Amino acid sequence: HHITMANQTALAGHVQVDDYANLAGYTLVHQFCTIGQHVMTGINSVITKDVPAFIKIAGNPARACGINSIGIKRHGFSETVLVRLKQAYQIVYRNGLTTEEALKELELIAKDCVAVSEFAVAIQQARRGILR
């Protein structure tokens, strides 16, 4: 499924890694976590919650640090989709909204953008909560 896992990346039991995820060296993922499609992790990331699709994360503990815009461009997404995903990221991560409030706002821009819809679904289906 076009997943890249660099050296010393460790996945605990029952971890789900979606298509085109890129896990940098020494990334550690807690059991039962989900790593969404087109996610990029930074070196030495420690992931203890689900990571929604299209996010770039780094740190110990891991934190969201933007949209994986380079990976998105490399996989042929349009500039319009990238702009919409950045808007969605701002809603979830920068506006101080609860997850439920953010999902309601995402509905408005997800109607005409499949990628934003997939981002919202990844948040809705998070079993362990999402990295914020």
Side-chain angles (χ1 to χ4, degrees):
H1 298 233
H2 308 285
I3 296 167
T4 302
M5 293 175 55
N7 62 310
Q8 303 301 319
T9 295
L11 307 177
H14 307 284
V15 170
Q16 176 181 328
V17 182
D18 291 338
D19 297 346
Y20 299 101
N22 191 336
L23 305 178
Y26 300 96
T27 294
L28 304 176
V29 184
H30 192 276
Q31 64 186 2
F32 298 105
C33 286
T34 298
I35 308 299
Q37 62 179 320
H38 298 281
V39 164
M40 173 70 170
T41 69
I43 191 168
N44 288 330
S45 296
V46 177
I47 301 168
T48 58
K49 294 189 176 200
D50 292 352
V51 182
F54 306 106
I55 297 293
K56 183 173 50 177
I57 62 157
N60 179 4
R63 293 183 303 194
C65 51
I67 290 292
N68 180 15
S69 54
I70 293 173
I72 290 167
K73 288 177 186 176
R74 285 181 181 163
H75 288 101
F77 288 86
S78 70
E79 191 66 32
T80 303
V81 171
L82 181 58
V83 168
R84 291 292 171 93
L85 283 170
K86 286 181 179 182
Q87 290 172 341
Y89 179 85
Q90 293 294 326
I91 290 168
V92 174
Y93 289 94
R94 300 287 185 238
N95 286 347
L97 302 174
T98 66
T99 303
E100 292 78 22
E101 293 169 339
L103 285 169
K104 286 180 184 175
E105 293 220 5
L106 286 179
E107 287 178 16
L108 301 174
I109 61 173
K111 291 179 182 177
D112 61 343
C113 184
V114 174
V116 173
S117 179
E118 291 169 347
F119 177 68
V121 167
I123 294 169
Q124 289 171 334
Q125 294 178 347
R127 296 176 290 177
R128 295 186 48 84
I130 60 168
L131 288 175
R132 293 292 296 255

